[in-house]
Amino acid sequence: MPNFDLHCHSNVSDGLLAPAELVARAHAAGVEVLALTDHDDMSGLDEARMTAAELGMLFVNGVEISVSWKKHTLHIVGLHVDPAHAALQQGLAQVRAGRMERAVRIAAELAKAGIPDSLEGARAFAENQQLIGRSHFARFLVAQGYVKDVKTVFKKYLVQGKPGFVTHQWAELGEAVGWIRAAGGVAVLAHPGRYPIGSTNMRTLLAEFKEAGGTAVEVMTAAHTAEHSRLFTGYAEEFGLLASRGSDFHGPGESYVEPGRLPDLPASCTPVWHDWAETKTLALSRS
Ligand code: AMP
Ligand code: MN
Ligand code: MN
Ligand code: MN
């Protein structure tokens, strides 16, 4: 199976590498088709696409949109989106504005817990000042010696019931899928195995996602166990959804796997790329 990695981050959101560096690393790791999917921001796509072209690697415009569904935060990946599309651009601008307002509240909560100046601290770790996320706060907390590593921050801070946690209203599920589709893209439910919801709620979510115009679910992603991959292969078939594969790489030292270094999709899945031009291009280049 060709090596598709359809979920990666650069320092345009909370990844550690510049878009060009990420693309070069993915290419070196054997990725043949890469999507850059930064959180709520598409400003890395031009640089990534140019670098991919220089290296002769196929590139897909992507984005990962933050969504609130019931009490949960979900991530919806958009693939093959047109980055110039107004509705998508405006939608993401709204989400980013909410994100900034959330960052102020996170900093206020951390200050109450005895950690001052964390907004400035997080900003110092963010290449893109329009996109401050919990990972930037996490890197600040580690650098200040409050916590030993980023993974531990997400156990002791910034999550429900811990200092620095705030609730937040992101985009609606239907809105996010609608922006992606309006921009010519396909919507993929990211890392579904990570959501702490039971099977009844998961079925409701998959049905609503499909109804809203969603196309695929991530079956292979770094956060999934083999059991998750089996489970979501079954759900994909049950709900008429295609399957995607993406490492969710954020950078050296903060990720479980390198770009493209995941098992192939199970043979019974229909890949989200089955009818893409990239698939034909790869087949031709090999024949
Ligand atoms: P945000 O969108 O600002 O709420 O941040 C979400 C991001 O935080 C995710 O995309 C991950 O990059 C990171 N994150 C969330 N949970 C964890 C965790 N347990 N360990 C490491 N990073 C995490
Ligand atoms: Mn992230
Ligand atoms: Mn995500
Ligand atoms: Mn991601």
Side-chain angles (χ1 to χ4, degrees), residues 7 9 14 37 39 64-65 74-77 190-191 194-195 218 248 250:
H7 188 154
H9 295 272
D14 56 3
T37 56
H39 297 286
E64 181 175 19
I65 307 181
L74 309 176
H75 287 169
I76 305 296
V77 164
H191 43 63
R194 263 179 49 183
Y195 308 131
E218 284 182 349
D248 206 1
H250 280 72

